[in-house]
Structure formats: structure tokens, C-alpha cells
Amino acid sequence: MGKNKFFTGMLVGAVAGGLVTLFDRSTRESVSTSIKSGSQKVWDSVSNPQELLAQSKELYSKSSAALHQMKDDLQYINETVEEVKKLTPRIKRMVSETKDTFEHSAEKYKEVLVEDHVENNNEYTGS
């Protein structure tokens, strides 16, 4: 019983609020224009159902094509993500190996430079 009163009260409140808004002239004109436009569209659809059917088929076709394209795009993205997941461990390993190589090379360069520096100092000092 309480539900009926609630929804009845909501309906009465909505109707009352709608009537109050119609006191404004611009609102009345806007509502009138919307009702005339809507009724004209309904009348056109009723009097020419083939055009409505053709428009519906066109909309369905465009929507279907768009959904198919989105499906293909999502499949491509999913495949790309899977490839990246597979590549990530290899890339980490390659970066680590490259880092190790550079660290090892840096140590060798230091040894060569230190030896060269020592030899050059010995040449200048006469030792």
C-alpha cells in the first residue's frame, strides 16, 4: 500500500512541477515547439513506414559495421598486449646483459686508462 502512495505522490509532484514550469513563456514556447516537432516525426513515420524501415536498416547496417570494426580493433589490441607480455622478459634480459657488458667494458677501459696514465707519468718523470 505504501508503494502505491509513494509512486502516486511522485507522479502528482512531477505533473505539478511541470505545470508550474509552464508559467514561463519561453518554456511554454519550447515545449510547444518540441511537441509539434515530435508529432510531425510520428506523423511522417506513420504515413511513410517504408522510409522509417529504410532508415532503421541503414542505422542497423552502420551500427553493425561499427561494432565489427570495434571487435577487430579490440582483438588487435589484445594480440598486441599478449606479444608485449611475451617480449617483456626478453627485453629485461637484453637490458640486463647490455648493462653487464657496459659495466665490464667500463672496468676494462678504466684499467687501460690507468695503465696508460701510469706509463705516461713514468715517461715524464723519467722512471
Side-chain angles (χ1 to χ4, degrees):
M1 196 61 99
K3 285 185 178 181
N4 289 339
K5 288 182 182 180
F6 175 74
F7 288 115
T8 303
M10 280 184 47
L11 181 63
V12 169
V15 169
L19 290 174
V20 169
T21 60
L22 291 177
F23 289 135
D24 181 47
R25 181 183 191 98
S26 64
T27 303
R28 279 194 314 270
E29 291 172 355
S30 175
V31 168
S32 174
T33 303
S34 295
I35 290 174
K36 287 178 185 176
S37 173
S39 62
Q40 182 63 44
K41 288 180 182 178
V42 169
W43 179 253
D44 291 344
S45 296
V46 168
S47 59
N48 193 355
Q50 294 302 323
E51 185 176 335
L52 178 63
L53 184 61
Q55 289 174 350
S56 297
K57 285 181 179 179
E58 182 182 352
L59 178 62
Y60 174 79
S61 177
K62 287 180 179 179
S63 300
S64 179
L67 286 173
H68 183 70
Q69 182 64 44
M70 284 194 304
K71 179 187 151 253
D72 289 347
D73 291 346
L74 288 172
Q75 185 176 2
Y76 173 76
I77 289 169
N78 189 34
E79 290 170 0
T80 304
V81 166
E82 290 302 317
E83 285 180 34
V84 168
K85 283 180 181 179
K86 290 176 185 175
L87 286 175
T88 301
R90 280 195 264 162
I91 292 171
K92 283 181 178 178
R93 189 179 67 242
M94 288 173 57
V95 168
S96 178
E97 289 171 357
T98 304
K99 177 185 166 205
D100 293 343
T101 301
F102 279 123
E103 286 175 350
H104 181 71
S105 295
E107 291 173 15
K108 291 287 185 184
Y109 293 142
K110 284 180 187 177
E111 290 174 12
V112 169
L113 291 174
V114 168
E115 287 176 9
D116 188 45
H117 180 70
V118 168
E119 288 177 7
N120 287 337
N121 279 343
N122 288 341
E123 288 176 9
Y124 291 120
T125 59
S127 313

